[in-house]
Amino acid sequence: MERTARNIRYDKAAEALYIIDQTLLPAQEREIRLETAEQMYDAIRLLRVRGAPAIGICAAYCLYALARTIDAPDMEGFLEQLKAYSAYLNSSRPTAVNLSWALSAQLETAAAHRAEGREAVLEALYEKAVEIHEDDMAKCKAISEYGLSLLKEGDGVLTHCNAGPLATSRYGTAQGPFLLAAERGMKLRVFADETRPLLQGARLTSYELQKGGVDVTLICDNMASLVMKNGWVQACFVGCDRVAANGDTANKIGTSGVAILAKHYGIPVYVLGPTSTIDMACPDGDHIPIELRDEEEIKTLWYEKPMALPEVKCYNPAFDVTDHALITAIVTEKGICYPPFTESLAALFAKG
Ligand code: MRU
């Protein structure tokens, strides 16, 4: 299997970490190099790299790259500094559990190899980052296969935000089945919500699906209801940033609205994501931290002229929680979980 995918690339010979700056898409597909802790924090915070699995993969490489720069007299000091870098990166975004999951995996890796010395710890950190990256590729492929098994030729599917290759490693989660279908010559009609306010659906999903040969139609978020009423949608496929043990799911703001509309029109809602996005320590959606972002994202960010007076107050939560009762199934790399999710998710983790 290839060792890197293009949205996040670690060049081992040059010991250099690159990401595609997603904020420049679709106008420019440009790689940027991340060298300092501040650049890494900003890349995650400002969504240059985004999407729950991609954030986790990137953070794993970041911690390895930062570990290489630690100049501590002993292992104790080295691990202390590594923990401090991990806490700093972890504070960049609160909702996607993959970030803390990948950073914890790296800290555990370092601790497990501490007796072997600094070089062995560094090597283990690099190998772990590659493993997280390659595992995600395999998981996305499996999720895409399971997701595609829920669709049939000619189906219309509505999706929200971006959960394609840019948000993961390859294929993606919620958008992986569409790319897989296109590869196999199976025809689907995908409706991509533009996903206000940061327009991941317009800038990233329609870009990836169009380039991947998928029949994609971009709609504004407030058109989803009409598209469903017209009978053009047979299923909704959405990604996830954190799934609680009872199935409540945090995903991009607007996802719960899509699920509520879908219930009205009798359309199934599938959440697709790797098990690394399921937080069994989190009992329900009320315990998921929701990121609040800058009001300028609503008022000025994508516009030539301000869209509101500077003094107008804005509320800009980046995610909402879709109640488990609105979710038809949760599709993971290990299989498809149906309600009651408290039982089916627990059974999934019990399998190991
Ligand atoms: O704020 P973002 O763009 O990082 O939010 C991303 C999403 O909500 C995605 O749907 C989710 O991370 C799944 S990515 C496979």
Side-chain angles (χ1 to χ4, degrees):
M1 187 185 282
E2 60 185 341
R3 285 176 75 84
T4 54
R6 59 185 192 109
N7 60 334
I8 301 163
R9 184 170 71 83
Y10 196 87
D11 180 339
K12 187 72 176 79
E15 295 287 8
L17 173 60
Y18 298 94
I19 58 162
I20 288 185
D21 183 345
Q22 297 190 36
T23 63
L24 303 177
L25 288 167
Q28 279 182 64
E29 193 174 299
R30 195 201 307 157
E31 272 191 338
I32 55 168
R33 184 172 173 183
L34 303 180
E35 290 180 89
T36 66
E38 290 71 26
Q39 286 169 351
M40 294 166 183
Y41 177 97
D42 281 352
I44 299 172
R45 177 81 202 140
L46 301 175
L47 278 58
R48 299 191 198 289
V49 55
R50 48 141 304 281
I55 293 171
I57 295 162
C58 184
Y61 284 120
C62 288
L63 210 55
Y64 161 66
L66 292 173
R68 293 186 67 255
T69 67
I70 298 174
D71 182 19
D74 53 24
M75 185 53 77
E76 197 91 344
F78 175 88
L79 292 177
E80 273 311 303
Q81 183 58 47
L82 195 67
K83 263 192 215 158
Y85 278 138
S86 168
Y88 175 60
L89 293 178
N90 197 34
S91 66
S92 57
R93 294 194 79 188
T95 304
V97 71
N98 304 60
L99 177 59
S100 56
W101 171 83
L103 291 168
S104 302
Q106 285 296 51
L107 290 182
E108 279 166 27
T109 300
H113 291 268
R114 62 180 295 166
E116 297 156 45
R118 185 178 185 277
E119 285 314 307
V121 169
L122 289 180
E123 200 181 313
L125 287 172
Y126 175 69
E127 286 303 324
K128 187 69 189 175
V130 173
E131 184 190 311
I132 288 173
H133 198 173
E134 291 185 348
D135 270 3
D136 191 72
M137 294 181 198
K139 285 175 183 170
C140 284
K141 183 78 194 302
I143 290 166
S144 302
E145 292 283 2
Y146 280 122
L148 191 53
S149 75
L150 299 165
L151 299 172
K152 57 181 191 330
E153 179 82 22
D155 272 353
V157 191
L158 185 130
T159 192
H160 191 74
C161 195
N162 174 260
L166 285 162
T168 58
S169 51
R170 278 171 91 189
Y171 287 103
T173 55
Q175 281 123 45
F178 314 148
L179 294 169
L180 202 57
E183 272 179 20
R184 295 178 181 169
M186 178 177 167
K187 297 255 180 294
L188 299 171
R189 289 172 309 148
V190 177
F191 294 90
D193 279 353
E194 65 172 349
T195 316
R196 286 274 295 152
L198 294 181
L199 305 174
Q200 288 93 333
R203 294 185 302 107
L204 309 174
T205 300
S206 70
Y207 170 84
E208 286 185 314
L209 295 184
Q210 187 72 37
K211 283 187 165 249
V214 177
D215 175 354
V216 58
T217 303
L218 180 62
I219 58 171
C220 299
D221 300 339
N222 53 7
M223 297 167 189
S225 169
L226 180 65
V227 166
M228 289 185 192
K229 187 176 182 186
N230 287 349
W232 296 344
V233 175
Q234 281 64 54
C236 298
F237 275 25
V238 295
C240 45
D241 286 82
R242 191 184 299 236
V243 179
N246 72 342
D248 288 352
T249 295
N251 191 50
K252 179 51 54 195
I253 188 73
T255 304
S256 79
V258 167
I260 291 165
L261 291 177
K263 185 178 169 73
H264 179 78
Y265 289 108
I267 298 166
V269 173
Y270 297 103
V271 168
L272 296 89
T275 45
S276 51
T277 310
I278 301 172
D279 184 358
M280 293 302 279
C282 179
D284 55 44
D286 290 344
H287 291 81
I288 300 177
I290 299 293
E291 175 183 6
L292 284 177
R293 295 186 64 87
D294 197 289
E295 58 184 45
E296 291 311 317
E297 291 180 347
I298 296 179
K299 292 198 281 193
T300 58
L301 188 66
W302 300 115
Y303 305 105
E304 284 179 7
K305 293 179 196 161
M307 286 297 124
L309 291 172
E311 62 271 30
V312 167
K313 275 189 294 179
C314 290
Y315 172 53
N316 185 16
F319 301 96
D320 59 22
V321 173
T322 300
D323 194 282
H324 62 275
L326 298 169
I327 298 170
T328 308
I330 299 173
V331 181
T332 76
E333 78 280 7
K334 292 185 183 172
I336 304 176
C337 294
Y338 290 93
F341 294 118
T342 310
E343 286 168 28
S344 57
L345 292 177
L348 195 74
F349 280 86
K351 268 200 254 168

